[in-house]
Amino acid sequence: MKLLFVALLCVSTAVSAQGATSVQPERSLQRERWQQRAEHVRIIRDNWGIAHVYGRSDADAVFGMIYAQAEDDFNRIERNYLNGLGWLAQAEGESAIYSDLRERLFVDVRRLEQRYRTAPPWLKTLMIAWSDGLNYYLSKHPAVTPKVIHHFEPWMALSFTEGSIGGDVESVDLTKLQKFYGRAPPAARNSQPAVPEENPGGSNGFAIAPSRSASGHAMLWINPHTSYYFRSELQVASEQGLNVYGAVTWGQFFVYQGFNSHNGWMHTSYGGDAIDEYAEDLVKKSDGLYYKYGGHLEKLRVGRITIPFKQSGGMGKRTFTVYHSHHGPIVRAENGRWIAVKLFLDPVPALSQSYLRTKTRDYASFRKTQDMRTDTSNNTVYADADGTIAYFHGNFIPRRDPRFDFTHPVDGSNPATEWHGAHAIEDTITLLNPSNGWLFNSNNWPFSAAGDQSPKREKYPVYMWTKGENPRGIHALEVLHDIRDVTLDSLIAAGYDGHLTAFDVLLPPLFAGYDALPAADPQRADLAEAITALRSWNRRTSAESVPTAVAIFWGQELIERKGAAARDADEPVYDYLVNELSDAERIAALGAALQKLQRDFGRWQIPWGEINRFQRLTDDIVQPFDDTKPSLAVGFAPAQWGALASFDSSKPRKTKKIYGSVGNSFIAAVDFGPTVRAKALMSGGESGDPASPHFTDQASMFSEGRFRDVLFYPEDVRAHAERSYRP
């Protein structure tokens, strides 16, 4: 308690990224506090370089876990907070100005500081330990040069409270924001929007009831799809009951997807709609701008935001006049009206929920954290040692009038479109121990989550779900329907099943169109060999498969040709490809795909693994790829075609070969017996340092889907220890 008291007394209020300085404690006192905290922490690195952090208190453990993360990749930690605070342009220059503006329209640093001051004492203690751990790391590693944040403050933790890839703020379209507020280059103003790609990420979560497992225990499949190296893998434990293992988004002090000795949780996205747009009717008066609301006029709030940015001669700055209605900030104009975005931001309870989740011990305590209702972007698949499995579709879901279509901007002048608090969890779409013995989510709708035991669509308003069925959902149903006697290995096999279900639907119309070609049509001869290969294909992806390469290049060609039309029709690209193509369009795209393969690889008859590769060359956040450098063959495929084990590339591709950059990242299979057993895998390796042996020590395993045992218990960690030390 004495140490805790000292920590609370000595918190610094300090130095912002803009350089404004307030009173700081003397560095000697600060260092003494850090060293005292470090004395209560032990970090053991196992033979994969994964950190197992043990602290006397939860705060000690938080101090150690963020220190260990900084050892692995400080660059990613700093960038996440630059992004969350709207300070990215200070590191990356003018190109990030509108990203910062978007963030600052919603996130006010002064408000974060105020919320920190009124936060519960237990949470403030953790935030202090978090900032101390980062500052201690920087003090011990003078060769590490932060781009902007040279001193972390406790309140900064409130800028990044939920571990998803791409937060709610990032749903605001940057191009349209820039057009509204900025000086976009003329070419950018007049050009057509880029063709939208199918979302390459997403995630899969499976929960298996004891009745379906070989061990008689509940089991969990944790399979997030993110950009590679987006999270670290670690274990953190304390004498105050914390003991959790899993994936931590760089810079956060809670395990986002993982498990403890009692239960586990897997988050997927696209739950209930938690963000709305309001179309405001503007009226200009002599004293300013107003907007219509409820039969009268409300004055538009006008403010100014200054964005500093790095330039060759030092720091520049750009100041924007910005606008807010009571719904939220104005982000674009559309059809003569200004569009405001309303979303939920309450960082103290949000960070509390994220952390408290990791210390739950059973379904009742986990459900209690769900009742906090601050999670705006996640579905949750749950399993525990009592044999309970559960599913929550969304968490914070505003109560609305279902007469309105909230998938498009609603009339901001009509008070009936307002939110009316949040739905209680019991009113949202949930599942608890379905009798079929399994449940899942793959970023699809919840109405297939447990087969015939799934929630019924007609019982819920349409805004409680935002996505329909997808090829991965169909695939998950296929592998789970008759699953029996599940082991860790068979659960992994189910999660890596190679069936590309999208082509079950897409290929038959292609074949029919080809068969209908006149006998004299030259396309019959040109495409005959490829059509024969596709007809004989079992629609399963593998490194050795030529038809896999043909099918995926054909599918991508269709997206490039028809993506804009799908956008204009306000329809998901995959659905558009299924329902709206002509035979001629399907056939022409196949011919173009074969030509691309021939041009880039000298032949179209090329196995998928010769094209589809894993490569990690540098510690850059955006990886460079090089066809002349070594890489590994990968037989997996993009999620959009129904692949459960997703392996996809960033777009546009700048190389001939395809290099994975998004998809499976941290993956784990967990068995919740009296002794927890788990297997896991990480993309590439734990360390972000190219000189580390753990930079690519999991690369070959990752490219083949070969898992390693998780070291959860202290005796196992010690038996495989590579290094044991204090921070």
Side-chain angles (χ1 to χ4, degrees), residues 275-446:
I275 304 172
D276 285 326
E277 294 185 331
Y278 289 82
E280 312 287 18
D281 282 315
L282 273 292
V283 175
K284 188 174 183 179
K285 300 179 68 174
S286 59
D287 62 339
L289 290 172
Y290 289 75
Y291 61 99
K292 297 177 182 178
Y293 185 72
H296 61 278
L297 297 179
E298 296 279 349
K299 193 165 189 179
L300 201 67
R301 182 159 58 89
V302 181
R304 292 172 72 81
I305 293 176
T306 297
I307 306 295
F309 62 94
K310 185 179 74 172
Q311 55 186 7
S312 57
M315 295 298 292
K317 64 180 180 180
R318 188 171 300 173
T319 298
F320 298 89
T321 300
V322 298
Y323 306 93
H324 288 72
S325 73
H326 74 280
H327 294 119
I330 304 298
V331 299
R332 70 178 191 276
E334 185 176 286
N335 299 323
R337 305 166 96 185
W338 285 11
I339 307 300
V341 170
K342 184 179 182 67
L343 52 80
F344 177 82
L345 288 172
D346 200 353
V348 168
L351 185 57
S352 299
Q353 181 174 349
S354 292
Y355 181 80
L356 291 172
R357 180 189 299 126
T358 69
K359 294 190 72 174
T360 57
R361 301 176 64 86
D362 52 23
Y363 177 77
S365 56
F366 190 89
R367 169 59 189 268
K368 188 175 180 180
T369 66
Q370 289 292 100
D371 285 336
M372 296 176 73
R373 293 176 297 172
T374 68
D375 188 343
T376 58
S377 64
N378 288 320
N379 309 315
T380 304
V381 177
Y382 171 90
D384 68 27
D386 296 326
T388 300
I389 63 172
Y391 176 66
F392 301 88
H393 195 77
N395 184 242
F396 170 81
I397 302 177
R399 188 183 299 275
R400 309 168 175 93
D401 188 330
R403 294 176 300 165
F404 299 99
D405 178 7
F406 287 93
T407 63
H408 296 89
V410 292
D411 182 4
S413 69
N414 186 349
T417 62
E418 296 288 355
W419 292 359
H420 303 287
H423 280 279
I425 295 298
E426 56 266 25
D427 296 331
T428 63
I429 304 172
T430 61
L431 282 167
L432 179 63
N433 294 324
S435 60
N436 61 303
W438 52 263
L439 54 81
F440 82 98
N441 184 254
S442 63
N443 313 106
N444 61 331
W445 65 3

Side-chain angles (χ1 to χ4, degrees), residues 712-725:
F712 185 74
Y713 294 97
E715 58 271 24
D716 295 323
V717 174
R718 289 192 296 269
H720 295 84
E722 184 177 81
R723 183 184 173 209
S724 178
Y725 59 100

Side-chain angles (χ1 to χ4, degrees), residues 604-616:
W604 68 259
Q605 303 94 334
I606 183 170
W608 178 232
E610 291 188 28
I611 303 170
N612 200 47
R613 314 290 290 184
F614 177 87
Q615 187 180 75
R616 190 182 194 189

Side-chain angles (χ1 to χ4, degrees), residues 546-562:
V546 170
T548 297
V550 174
I552 290 175
F553 268 66
W554 172 63
Q556 187 58 40
E557 183 69 24
L558 288 173
I559 289 176
E560 291 173 5
R561 291 173 174 229
K562 307 305 294 185

Side-chain angles (χ1 to χ4, degrees), residues 49 102 181 195 342 344 383 481 540 552 647 677 684 692 711:
R102 177 175 63 183
Y181 280 114
V195 173
K342 184 179 182 67
F344 177 82
H481 184 266
R540 305 185 77 81
I552 290 175
F647 186 89
R677 295 175 55 245
S692 168
L711 305 173

